[in-house]
Amino acid sequence: MRTIHESPIFNLARADKHGFEVNHPDAELDQRPLGFEERSDIGGMEQTTEIEVVRHYTRLSTVNYDIDRGIYPLGSCTMKHNPRLNEAVAADPTWRDPHPYWPESSLEGHRRVMEELASDLGEISGFDHVSLLPAAGAHGELTAVFMIRAYHLRSGNPDKRTFLIPDSAHGTNPASAAMAGFKCKQVKSGPDGYLRLEDLEPHFNDDVAAIMITNPNTLGIYERQFEEIAQALHDLDALVYMDGANLNAMMGYFRPGRIGADVMHFNLHKTFTTPHGGGGPGSGPIGFNDKLAPFAPEAENGIGPVKAYLGQWGMFIRAWTYIRSLGGTGLKQASEEAVLNANYLRKRLGDVLDIPYDTPTLHEVVFSDKNLPNDVTTADLAKRLIDYGIHPPTVYFPIHVKGALMVEPTETETLEELDRFVASIRSIILEALDEPDRLKTAPHTTPVSRVDEVKAARELNLRWTPDPRRI
Ligand SMILES: *Cc1c(COP(=O)(O)O)cnc(C)c1O
């Protein structure tokens, strides 16, 4: 398998070629400003011309796919449009310029925006307390897990060391619990995709510290036994964590803090339209009730700060703007349309793709590759979508669905864009019947085709290192 660094679009240098020479014999550039000295440690670069370098970077900037280019239906990731109003407000020098080391008196406006945002998130989720500090969803989980540990330790229950985690939970849930030293016990969900109290009960004992429930779960299904399950956990003196990354499905309809959750995280970079992906900053505030308030990062004897300065300020001001530009009814409508769009895709594609669970779903829909012809897999379908100019949905997740293809269109896509997605999938399935090899070798339109994805994730290499043979 070829890496991008070995591809012809990347490596333009040739030993017999030279770009502009700053020390050309006829030039009078001996007064060269600092920084324009010739460098000899950038192997290959001096063997290209200026225009090649300019075109190289311009071209590279266009090979990535982004939400500003088309639908980005990654399930569970809520890849919404980022309204430009948010950006304009965040870029206002009043908000952008102050340094967090400035005296508190000059940050009054910032503090007020943060208080209002925390209060809005509390109202949306039904929690009396919100900490804005955590820098991402997984970081919010970890913060909450530390608070849960502190709660049990201070209540004289150091033996509560087990977290119950359904198989429909997001992968970050067991990771967060394990990082804080808890044991994780996986609980199977029922045949229709719901988590059932009867499947949890065999795991109930004095060791249980908490449950982490993703709701709606990773199949997009609302956990209808949520309240009973929360009650049963409280009877064990255990706590209930709700993974709220999928809040986009139910703003204005479901307030976790009012029906049994003790703590949850929000993803401002999902539900509340702050930019997302590419390694940029996220923001994962948590909401919690009175039981956990003494252990909050901001509390006097709490777990301590989890982020420096104000936290991810740039995300706060964007989410604050978004909430204010939609208002309560607008947020509720956003959720309704997110659910409508997902169910539109479910309906339009249900005759050509297998739907493993018949259960009604909210903001996302999980298909599988069970009925695809000629041994075509989810990976083949996803790779071929790239040739159609569409970012693939989430693949092979959730893990309890074999060959899963998880689609979350979000409310910000138009009917035309949803139809383009449907038409592309339908056309690819026709190709799978007639020309399966075209799928198995896809994508054909990218600089590199199939990459070693495990290696790419485990040994991520974002740095170009000069080829020593060329220096
Ligand atoms: C995205 C997501 C997370 C993790 O959030 P990050 O901000 O990526 O750390 C956790 N749970 C669910 C269900 C998610 O979709």
Side-chain angles (χ1 to χ4, degrees), residues 82-96 317-318 321:
N82 308 131
R84 292 310 188 258
L85 176 65
N86 299 358
E87 302 305 316
V89 174
D92 184 305
T94 314
W95 303 119
R96 189 195 57 201
I317 184 78
R318 287 174 174 86
T321 306

Side-chain angles (χ1 to χ4, degrees), residues 248-319:
N248 206 46
M250 41 193 201
M251 286 182 290
Y253 283 94
F254 168 58
R255 304 211 302 158
R258 291 284 178 263
I259 72 155
D262 296 296
V263 51
M264 72 169 267
H265 80 262
F266 308 83
N267 288 69
L268 298 190
H269 49 287
K270 294 182 182 171
T271 316
F272 299 98
T273 66
T274 73
H276 186 169
S283 181
I286 53 172
F288 45 94
N289 59 19
D290 286 344
K291 272 191 236 178
L292 286 168
F295 312 102
E298 298 85 351
E300 201 173 331
N301 293 308
I303 60 164
V306 294
K307 188 88 185 85
Y309 306 123
L310 302 179
Q312 306 284 51
W313 161 258
M315 300 301 109
F316 302 157
I317 184 78
R318 287 174 174 86

